[in-house]
Amino acid sequence: MRILLTNDDGIEAEGLACLERIARQFSDDVWVCAPEVEQSGKGRGLTLTEPLRVKTLGERRFAVSGTPTDCVILAVNDLMGEHKPDLVLSGVNRGHNLGEDVSYSGTVAGALQGMAFGIRSIALSQSLERFHDEVIAPWQTAETFAPGIISNLLEHDWDEGVIMNVNFPNLSPDQVREVEVTSQGFRDLSEMHAVQRTDLRGRPYYWMSFRGREQVYPDGTDLRAVAEGRISVTPLHIDLTHRKSVNDLKRRLGGAPPRQVLGPARIRAGL
Ligand code: MN
């Protein structure tokens, strides 16, 4: 089995080394194509306005001056030659990817690009704790449980167009009791905010940040499972259509295109 690894924390990330150890339990034919520098939060970004540079770091190891999406495209189209990967693993991300922040996630994006090529793809993330500037991630937890979960997933077919999003809780391996198959939850990312600081020349600059308020999330969601110390496995697809709204909208808006504004007074009044 040929396996392609990528991530969004960069080629030197600890989580990628962890993923390599996981992947080597399945195959010796492991390829790494990862961003040269961290790309967390870049989502499905694609580099279109500047050239991409590839550094060959070893026989099957490449660093790319782009995003995880760029990495998977380059690896599959070019760097890996004729023999495409049978599996794409993305991660292990430094921090979980849950709820709607999967759309910010470069880790999930790496898996989505593998899926777009028709390759089975799994995103893996390790929940962690931040003490001031220090990040403490129990990589051992991902390393202990990922191989069993991956082999279970690979034993059965799954729908084309679906990736698996696996999140390990912030616990040591001996504290983890359960895997839960979950749905994508909703965190309310109005929690996302910008912190203003002042540079040495007196000009303002900003850091994007999560406020991280404690919340109780609904049962059955990825957020709840990981908060309660379970490993979460969520099948994700990229179709963002809201099915329930389609028929309503069809009745109202389908057919000949409207040529005038309806009820302008009502719209101005905010009714
Ligand atoms: Mn990351």
Side-chain angles (χ1 to χ4, degrees):
M1 176 164 62
R2 176 166 280 201
I3 306 177
L4 170 63
L5 310 185
T6 194
N7 76 348
D8 76 355
D9 295 333
I11 190 101
E12 287 169 6
E14 225 177 318
L16 183 59
C18 173
L19 188 61
E20 281 189 73
R21 293 192 293 272
I22 293 164
R24 292 207 186 279
Q25 299 192 30
F26 293 91
S27 174
D28 292 326
D29 194 12
V30 175
W31 295 62
V32 177
C33 187
E36 205 172 355
V37 291
E38 181 168 353
Q39 302 287 314
S40 292
K42 300 277 170 80
R44 279 202 94 198
L46 191 58
T47 303
L48 294 174
T49 54
E50 52 189 286
L52 289 170
R53 304 283 177 188
V54 179
K55 278 186 192 153
T56 303
L57 303 177
E59 203 191 329
R60 294 167 184 169
R61 191 175 183 84
F62 307 92
V64 174
S65 64
T67 64
T69 302
D70 296 327
C71 289
V72 174
I73 293 172
L74 269 174
V76 172
N77 276 348
D78 193 81
L79 303 171
M80 300 179 77
E82 290 298 299
H83 185 172
K84 308 293 180 215
D86 307 295
L87 174 68
V88 173
L89 300 176
S90 184
V92 177
N93 190 59
R94 205 177 73 138
H96 49 224
N97 280 302
L98 303 167
E100 70 276 33
D101 57 355
V102 298
S103 63
Y104 292 127
S105 168
T107 305
V108 170
L112 286 172
Q113 192 55 46
M115 175 274 284
F117 282 123
I119 303 160
R120 294 215 276 183
S121 300
I122 303 171
L124 302 118
S125 304
Q126 176 62 60
S127 196
L128 50 78
E129 227 163 307
R130 282 193 176 82
F131 288 115
H132 305 292
D133 287 340
E134 204 186 348
V135 168
I136 299 170
W139 297 114
Q140 198 56 40
T141 302
E143 199 170 330
T144 303
F145 297 110
I149 289 170
I150 294 168
S151 69
N152 179 298
L153 290 171
L154 292 181
E155 243 174 68
H156 304 274
D157 286 337
W158 72 65
D159 279 3
E160 253 180 65
V162 172
I163 65 156
M164 298 296 168
N165 185 33
V166 182
N167 281 273
F168 299 95
N170 179 28
L171 294 174
S172 61
D174 55 306
Q175 292 172 304
V176 177
R177 300 265 174 274
E178 207 181 319
V179 177
E180 185 181 349
V181 177
T182 56
S183 300
Q184 185 186 330
F186 183 74
R187 188 203 296 279
D188 182 6
L189 286 177
S190 56
E191 292 288 295
M192 203 73 210
H193 69 304
V195 179
Q196 199 198 80
R197 305 242 169 110
T198 307
D199 72 16
L200 294 177
R201 294 180 179 183
R203 295 172 306 194
Y205 67 97
Y206 297 87
W207 277 113
M208 303 305 288
S209 176
F210 284 105
R211 222 185 295 267
R213 181 160 28 102
E214 279 297 315
Q215 290 178 56
V216 176
Y217 302 106
D219 236 354
T221 61
D222 51 0
L223 288 157
R224 176 75 168 260
V226 170
E228 292 184 350
R230 295 184 289 278
I231 298 168
S232 166
V233 178
T234 316
L236 295 178
H237 64 159
I238 203 173
D239 176 356
L240 298 178
T241 313
H242 189 250
R243 303 273 165 213
K244 208 159 127 272
S245 304
V246 167
N247 282 336
D248 256 14
L249 264 179
K250 259 188 186 166
R251 272 196 298 276
R252 219 170 70 215
L253 192 57
R259 291 183 183 275
Q260 61 195 51
V261 176
L262 294 174
R266 289 171 62 85
I267 291 167
R268 268 200 303 273
L271 297 170

